[in-house]
Amino acid sequence: MREVLVTAKTTEAEGVVSFELSGEGLPGWTPGAHIDLAIRAGLTRQYSLCGDPADRGRWRIAVLREEPGRGGSRHLHDVVEPGDTLSAGEPRNNFPLVPAPGYVFVAGGIGITPLLPMIREAERDGADWTLYYGGRRRARMAFTAELARYGDRVRLLPEDEHGLLPLAGILAGSAYPVYCCGPEPLLAATERACPPERLRLERFHPRETDPAPEREFEVEASASGRTVRVAPGESILDALDAAAVPVPSSCREGTCGTCETLVIDGEVEHRDSVLSEPERAEGKTMMVCVSRARSARLVLDL
């Protein structure tokens, strides 16, 4: 983690504020990246970088005020001001923009944040792209003034004016890759409507699943030679921690990608919200904070 200075705080929409963060030697990043932000003792959250990757002196994040939860967003909204310092992790990207002749971007609410730098890059590269941006109402949709410069490539479709995003029509009209971020109902509907090979999603909260009953299994850490038993109700990460096998981690709910680990042998029951369906089918990596074994034994590159 590094210290960053809050240099600006801006209201972007009802319930949404952005923060500009500066610091010495900020590492570069690519569209789709996010950072861990230590909000206060014991509370770390992940936020998409939504500024310009070419600006190496500043990062920008945007925060939706959420009344439920542990109070991280409320603290940022109500307490943190320009001149304060925060601790931030290195940028990580589980949602990279792959080169393509064009893109379909679909955003719901605060899900616009990781798409903003993607749109900037697509426009810079001369790609054919369209953004479909929904929200409960126009006043709660952030960065609309910033998006106005792209003209009719941006379709603003607030729910109280247009209803739910017309996904069938949006997705039927193009063969381009689809990048989607927003609330779980939007993501789930997009998954149902779009072929998995075209779709790339970013989730801010764990995906809704109906996991199979849990059973005990064995995990071998190949590099360290340690073997642990993982009990029902225990995560692989917790079992490895107890055996003094270090694994980097952050969210512990399968959304940030910090604990992604190579799988050498065994079959994985994926429960994360990071990997695409093709990546799950390959079974080459897993998030050890939430995912489990389908086989009796897993061998991991640890």
Side-chain angles (χ1 to χ4, degrees), residues 144-160:
T144 55
E146 183 172 318
L147 289 165
R149 68 175 180 265
Y150 298 117
D152 60 6
R153 286 185 181 273
V154 174
R155 316 286 171 83
L156 299 180
L157 300 168
E159 186 177 343
D160 63 344

Side-chain angles (χ1 to χ4, degrees), residues 97-105 118-130 153 176-177:
L97 186 69
V98 298
Y103 305 93
V104 176
F105 298 113
M118 293 185 182
I119 288 167
R120 180 181 282 107
E121 182 162 307
E123 181 75 3
R124 184 201 67 195
D125 292 346
D128 180 19
W129 63 270
T130 307
R153 286 185 181 273
Y176 291 145

